[in-house]
Amino acid sequence: MEPIELQRRVVTAIPGPRSVELQKRRLAAVAAGVSSALPIFAERAHGAIVVDVDGNHYIDLGSGIGVMTIGHTDEAVVAAASEQLTLLTHGMFTITPYESYIRVAELLAQHTPGSFAKKTVLLNSGAEAVENAVKIARHYTGRTAVAVLDHAYHGRTNLTMAMTFKAMPYKSGFGPLAPSVYHAPGSYPFRDGLSGADAAARTITYLEKSIGARDLACLVAEPIQGEGGFVVPADGYLAALQDWCTANGVVFIADEIQSGMARTGKYYASEHFGVEPDMVLSAKGIAGGLPLAAVTGRAEIMDAPHAGGLGGTFAGNPVAAAAAIAVFGEIERRGLLAEAGRIEGILKPALVELQAKYPTIGDVRGIGAMLAIELVKPGTMEPNAAAVSALTAFAAQHGVLLLSAGTFGNVIRFLPSLAITDDLLREAISVLGDGFASLD
Ligand code: PLZ
């Protein structure tokens, strides 16, 4: 096959005829609950470009929700995974272990925040990492309660569904939900206007008065909330929570599934906030698109569960582990942490400029290659989800993939690959500008 031309190119109506055809088959064969943001079917991708079945080339600002952090079909990942496929496709680490699992655990110990002794368990998905973190924290503390924050997203399995904030589409009709999960108020500077200290005091009051530290096994927080709308907590908020957890024997867990793996210019976003969580959760970007997730934490906590207490058939699959080793290697070799700053340096000022022109942009926020705009009805704080839908549809029509987010569906989030070129980024920004102009 010809290499992909790394350019935006719209050659048919969107969706094109082959996508329309696939959409018909999909509606007949795929469960209705699995819906898609756009009726466009992908065929190939490379770097920051996705090509659909009709040959349209899109600039991808979503990276499959923050997975393709080092770029689609990255050569090093493809080579490592392809070679591993031919050597050992499946081993089942709890039957016949293999080196790549150990290597990923070593790399995670090295790159997660904190210089204390750490250990890791590998899993298949983000939700599974969250579930295992809670299991380990419960086993270690002998306590059962789990605290999460308003606007959080932690997954769709039974326990993580209870931990996720939004009823629609994640929880409605799917109960009963897992017990002993408590949603504490968090820090959302644009909407609550609270300082980090005041927001932390409010959270801690809830933890102490409504749950009680005696029963609380863990507090799980996303350092920058992903699905919740790229909410960056106020200064000092996370550090105050960590201090309270430490003082009260509560395991402090950072869900870095969306914010981690170099996306914000550090390996983990926790580093921006001066916190060293007891456990850090990785998934999404860790293995260049292959399914892999991890719980990495203080050795004494991670070693609490008995032998045989953790595992899973595909967990830490050798092909995914080989891909993860390649991802860590490429982040180092190509200096990709610095690329997040390059992207922020272009995208954030452009978004601020758009905000000056269009009062529907209430807030511009985020760090590195994890940026967002929150849209409101001009002059108010009222969420403007309709503008988000119009803009994401306009962008797709013009060859740019944009993702929405937020409890109110009124946030556009930008999670480009760190491999995106300045030119492609600028071109995508100009399409966004045209989109805003078309709203008037
Ligand atoms: N924790 C912080 O962002 C996944 C969900 C997409 P899984 N977010 C994308 C969807 O609609 O299902 C996520 C996350 C944070 C946990 C998860 C869950 O990760 O790999 O999707 O299970």
Side-chain angles (χ1 to χ4, degrees), residues 64-65 67 124-130 152-157 160 164 169-170 221-228 255-259 281 283-284 292-293 370 413:
I65 317 199
V67 171
N124 298 295
S125 69
E128 214 187 340
V130 176
Y153 183 92
H154 297 295
R156 295 175 181 267
T157 56
T160 61
T164 287
Y170 307 118
E222 299 156 85
I224 300 175
Q225 291 186 319
E227 303 305 305
D255 179 343
E256 293 249 21
I257 286 164
Q258 195 153 160
S259 58
L281 313 183
K284 291 195 185 284
L292 189 73
M370 186 172 189
R413 55 178 149 176

Side-chain angles (χ1 to χ4, degrees), residues 84-148:
Q84 186 60 48
L85 259 178
T86 66
L87 295 173
L88 179 76
T89 308
H90 173 73
M92 181 114 189
F93 194 75
T94 51
I95 308 283
T96 48
Y98 38 89
E99 183 180 352
S100 53
Y101 188 119
I102 302 166
R103 185 68 195 132
V104 174
E106 290 168 347
L107 287 163
L108 284 163
Q110 187 185 335
H111 292 296
T112 49
S115 53
F116 40 82
K118 295 171 201 156
K119 293 200 178 177
T120 286
V121 54
L122 297 181
L123 293 317
N124 298 295
S125 69
E128 214 187 340
V130 176
E131 293 249 358
N132 278 272
V134 171
K135 278 168 67 172
I136 295 165
R138 283 175 167 164
H139 208 295
Y140 174 73
T141 57
R143 306 172 183 177
T144 51
V146 174
V148 293

Side-chain angles (χ1 to χ4, degrees), residues 3-11 14 19 38-65 67-68 71-73 395-396 398-403 415-417 420 424:
I4 291 178
E5 222 183 301
L6 296 177
Q7 274 177 13
R8 179 173 69 105
R9 203 168 60 214
V10 178
V11 294
I14 306 273
S19 275
L38 297 165
I40 296 165
F41 290 80
E43 189 169 74
R44 310 173 63 191
H46 191 67
I49 294 287
V50 172
V51 183
D52 76 9
V53 289
D54 294 289
N56 297 298
H57 288 46
Y58 303 85
I59 303 172
D60 183 9
L61 295 188
S63 302
I65 317 199
V67 171
M68 307 315 294
H72 287 277
T73 55
H398 295 82
V400 175
L401 299 179
L402 276 185
L403 299 181
L415 301 125
S417 152
I420 194 168
L424 284 180

